[in-house]
Amino acid sequence: MKGSFRQSMAWLHTWSGLLVGWVLFAVFLTGTAAYFRPEISRWMQPEAGQPAPVLQSAPAAVGFLQRKVPDAFHWDIFLPGDREAVTRVFWTPRAESGGPGRRDRRLHRATLDAASGEAVEARATRGGEFLYRFHFDLYYMPVRWGRWIVGFCAMLMLVAIISGIVTHKKFFADFFTLRLKKGQRSWLDAHAVTAVLSLPFHLMITYTGLVALMFLYMPWGVEARYASDRAFFQEVFSPGRYAERTGVAAPLADLAPMIRKASEIWGGGMPGHIAVRHPGDEGATIRMEPSGAGRLAPEGHALVFRGATGELLTEEGAPPAVQTHSAMIGLHSGRFASPWLRWLYFLSGVGGTVMVATGLLMWIVKRRQKLPDPDRPHFGFRLVEKLNIGTIAGLPIGLAAYFLANRLLPVGMPGRAGWEIHAFFIAWGAVFAWALLRPARRGWIEALAAGAAAYALVPLANAATTAHGLLPSLLAADWLFVGFDLVMLATAAGLAGAAMCMARHRPKVRASRRLAAAAPDARTLA
Amino acid sequence: MSAFLPLLPALAGFACLALAMDRHQPAVAGRVLGPRATSAFRWAGWTALVLAYVAAVDASGWVSGSVGWFGHAAVAATAVVLLLTWRPRAVLFLVLGAPAWACVRPARSSNNHRS
């Protein structure tokens, strides 16, 4: 009975994992990269300056908006903190005062230098934001579809994790075991080791990822009580008690004392978002939300000040449910993390990516031995093999193409930011096409080698087109650019190593295949 | 700078736990250890992991420390696995991580007091 339960769990693990594995690989890879979203954005806009303290960037942004749209209905200021170099501002003109909707925001926006508050003349790019959005929105489809697909895959991921734990016979006995050069055994070890050692991370990241979008996946509670999604989000996440416009002109008070006051209330935290309603009016209100830096659950601690006097009007309390939700998103996104903790997050994410990849490879390795005719595998086998090459080798190449396009596309090109993203998908698709045309083993070696070359090219393209090459950055102690180049080179080395391993082991695999053909029974039993 | 310090006891903890397994003892220590040594390594291993938690909370507070403990544990355990695979003897040296942390920590605290 116990054996059959474990067998059915093994079946569940195999097929739930295979069905969603390729999407999960993409989600894990881009999500892991997104732990460095602001850093990637800075690398992709080398024209932007350096981060600046909030006490400098906030008044600078207000200065810009006062010059540009003094009479607006609403300003939104997203402050950079110490990881970004630009402030993002959005405004709603009085004529469109239906409320700051997303559509308005896209029309009226500016990217400012954090320190000076001047509009930044930088190349158009979605930067790290694209990777972050792709990991739950996907691309080339309505956002809602993408989120449903990713949510479905995450749900099956949870199923695969639980059934995987049940299936794993020697959870503790094999805890530290990685046996090399043993074919299927080695892949199983690699899969188990990456899964087991970061198991708390995998469970946490999958569960909190689902929780982050729970209002989409399980909307019925909200639907039963609220007229619309919007009414719900307004009430729960930004209750914003703004005052009415009086029509009497009054300048905004100095921001600095309000920021200091807010920081005191938040125990040293700094605002990440400042919203100003009716700027320049006597009834102006300023709402500050704490940034996620250093704070696990930033949601729901907003403060509202009277704009004309700087007096604190409201201290919004966070209901426990909002705090819990916010803490789960904080745990998932790691925005609160110090740099070292962020690297630990990143490494755990790499572990998750490797776990998914080795799982996908296992499916092939396990079945290759049992093929009736290894030279003519059946359609399903070939399909999985090609999808594996296209995804596991192709997606990293797409990422390299995204970075290369950022450096090589002309700065003034129309639709530039979009073409960087197209480059990502074109390169990824090209690897798929290549995988279809080539025999599997050659396809793997060539795709991995191409990936190594692409990643090695990124630092070269960077050095050739910007003043932030590896050497100048080292001399200037600009660790962001140094770190980025080093990660690119390390990835190139990793892919080159994988390609060489694969090339070297080719004859051996042939031999074992022949062996399998000669004595199929022994193989199947083992 | 001190945020990575919990890695030292975490490495020691997993090194000891590996040494507490018959399967890995020959590769690391050269022979199978007796039951008393094995049990001592098991106790030392778990103690060092608790120590790693103390170190993590000490270095970055309750929230980041608790989250970070899992990250340190994952990285340390992976390091032990890789060493066991390619340089098993080196795992012995990781055991020194815990005393090393104990030596470094007071220096760091007194630095904090000074600054």
Side-chain angles (χ1 to χ4, degrees):
Chain A
M1 189 65 208
K2 202 180 166 207
S4 83
F5 175 67
R6 184 163 266 165
Q7 274 165 11
S8 56
M9 281 292 131
W11 180 90
L12 185 62
H13 182 74
T14 302
W15 295 101
S16 61
L18 182 77
L19 182 63
V20 298
W22 299 289
V23 177
L24 287 177
F25 181 81
V27 170
F28 259 92
L29 188 84
T30 50
T32 300
Y35 280 125
F36 291 108
R37 166 163 60 143
E39 287 78 9
I40 291 174
S41 293
R42 274 179 69 192
W43 186 88
M44 293 182 80
Q45 274 190 334
E47 299 86 354
Q50 293 293 318
V54 167
L55 278 170
Q56 188 181 354
S57 60
V62 165
F64 171 87
L65 287 163
Q66 271 167 340
R67 289 193 299 278
K68 178 102 182 170
V69 276
D71 199 30
F73 167 72
H74 189 94
W75 296 339
D76 271 312
I77 303 167
F78 290 91
L79 296 162
D82 51 9
R83 294 173 64 197
E84 281 173 280
V86 292
T87 309
R88 287 167 220 283
V89 295
F90 304 85
W91 60 90
T92 314
R94 180 90 49 77
E96 300 172 21
S97 59
R102 285 202 156 267
R103 195 157 291 161
D104 310 329
R105 275 187 178 177
R106 263 189 216 152
L107 285 175
H108 309 294
R109 59 182 298 171
T111 305
L112 312 179
D113 179 71
S116 69
E118 297 298 325
V120 173
E121 295 296 325
R123 65 189 66 200
T125 179
R126 294 276 311 279
E129 187 70 14
F130 161 66
L131 300 174
Y132 170 74
R133 299 297 292 217
F134 176 77
H135 105 280
F136 58 92
D137 282 354
L138 305 181
Y139 202 72
Y140 297 127
M141 67 177 80
V143 164
R144 197 166 264 266
W145 291 18
R147 291 183 182 184
W148 271 107
I149 293 173
V150 172
F152 173 77
C153 296
M155 201 62 224
L156 283 194
M157 171 89 185
L158 215 47
V159 169
I161 292 176
I162 308 279
S163 57
I165 296 171
V166 177
T167 309
H168 192 4
K169 286 189 207 112
K170 299 175 189 157
F171 193 94
F172 291 106
D174 275 354
F175 198 85
F176 295 113
T177 306
L178 177 58
R179 283 155 291 196
L180 294 176
K181 297 179 184 169
K182 292 236 168 80
Q184 186 181 332
R185 180 88 258 168
S186 303
W187 287 109
L188 180 58
D189 282 348
H191 184 59
V193 157
T194 45
V196 169
L197 299 187
S198 302
L199 185 58
F201 174 83
H202 301 323
L203 277 169
M204 177 279 283
I205 211 73
T206 312
Y207 180 72
T208 53
L210 283 164
V211 166
L213 294 174
M214 67 181 187
F215 300 118
L216 173 68
Y217 302 138
M218 304 196 114
W220 307 289
V222 172
E223 274 171 9
R225 303 277 309 221
Y226 292 87
S228 68
D229 277 8
R230 185 138 177 194
F232 166 73
F233 283 108
Q234 183 71 30
E235 178 177 326
V236 174
F237 291 107
S238 53
R241 295 171 194 86
Y242 298 110
E244 290 301 310
R245 186 167 178 265
T246 61
V248 181
L252 282 180
D254 185 15
L255 266 184
M258 289 183 247
I259 293 172
R260 277 194 213 101
K261 172 89 183 159
S263 180
E264 200 178 290
I265 292 173
W266 292 328
M270 276 291 171
H273 173 209
I274 297 180
V276 183
R277 182 63 63 91
H278 308 307
D281 186 85
E282 201 194 4
T285 38
I286 299 178
R287 185 170 182 272
M288 292 189 189
E289 289 172 5
S291 84
R295 178 177 279 260
L296 182 65
E299 196 75 65
H301 293 278
L303 303 173
V304 181
F305 294 89
R306 190 185 295 284
T309 59
E311 161 202 2
L312 179 63
L313 288 177
T314 327
E315 206 172 316
E316 290 170 11
V322 171
Q323 278 190 7
T324 309
H325 187 251
S326 183
M328 292 222 180
I329 294 175
L331 210 52
H332 186 96
S333 65
R335 251 166 250 159
F336 72 99
S338 60
W340 170 243
L341 184 54
R342 187 165 308 115
W343 276 101
L344 292 178
Y345 261 107
F346 177 79
L347 290 173
S348 292
V350 171
T353 313
V354 172
M355 170 185 72
V356 175
T358 49
L360 284 168
L361 292 170
M362 282 269 310
W363 193 93
I364 284 292
V365 174
K366 226 170 170 175
R367 274 154 194 79
R368 186 185 321 246
Q369 316 286 2
K370 296 175 189 162
L371 285 174
D373 178 0
D375 292 324
R376 287 163 172 251
H378 55 83
F379 173 74
F381 185 89
R382 279 203 315 254
L383 177 73
V384 172
E385 205 168 37
K386 304 289 182 190
L387 281 170
N388 276 354
I389 302 175
T391 311
I392 297 171
L395 185 63
I397 291 181
L399 194 54
Y402 182 56
F403 295 142
L404 284 172
N406 176 265
R407 285 298 189 259
L408 299 178
L409 291 179
V411 171
M413 176 181 177
R416 184 177 195 287
W419 275 104
E420 284 179 9
I421 296 173
H422 297 325
F424 174 89
F425 288 104
I426 290 169
W428 186 6
V431 180
F432 262 114
W434 189 253
L436 286 178
L437 294 173
R438 302 288 290 167
R441 189 145 290 273
R442 296 301 317 162
W444 267 117
I445 296 170
E446 287 153 4
L448 290 170
Y455 276 92
L457 276 176
V458 175
L460 292 179
N462 177 44
T465 58
T466 72
H468 297 278
L470 187 52
L471 249 171
S473 299
L474 260 176
L475 293 176
D478 191 343
W479 302 121
L480 189 145
F481 281 86
V482 173
F484 198 100
D485 275 3
L486 291 181
V487 170
M488 292 299 112
L489 292 174
T491 312
L495 290 172
M500 280 195 303
C501 262
M502 220 144 200
R504 207 174 297 149
H505 284 295
R506 190 178 174 195
K508 207 172 170 186
V509 168
R510 279 245 169 118
S512 74
R513 261 196 207 164
R514 244 178 265 128
L515 205 76
D521 292 345
R523 276 283 150 178
T524 341
L525 286 173
Chain B
M1 271 319 279
S2 61
F4 70 91
L5 285 181
L7 203 53
L8 294 173
L11 282 167
F14 283 110
C16 287
L17 287 178
L19 271 162
M21 292 167 72
D22 303 349
R23 180 188 213 158
H24 301 298
Q25 284 166 356
V28 181
R31 62 189 173 90
V32 175
L33 303 173
R36 294 188 58 174
T38 299
S39 138
F41 272 121
R42 185 168 301 121
W43 275 100
W46 286 109
T47 310
L49 288 184
V50 172
L51 210 62
Y53 183 69
V54 173
V57 171
D58 181 57
S60 36
W62 284 107
V63 174
S64 288
S66 303
V67 178
W69 181 83
F70 287 101
H72 285 110
V75 169
T78 308
V80 169
V81 168
L82 296 178
L83 283 179
L84 274 175
T85 308
W86 278 283
R87 292 276 179 280
R89 303 292 292 192
V91 172
L92 267 182
F93 293 100
L94 293 184
V95 173
L96 298 173
W101 174 74
C103 295
V104 176
R105 199 188 90 90
R108 189 192 65 80
S109 303
S110 60
N111 270 347
N112 273 6
H113 288 306
R114 249 180 275 145
S115 63

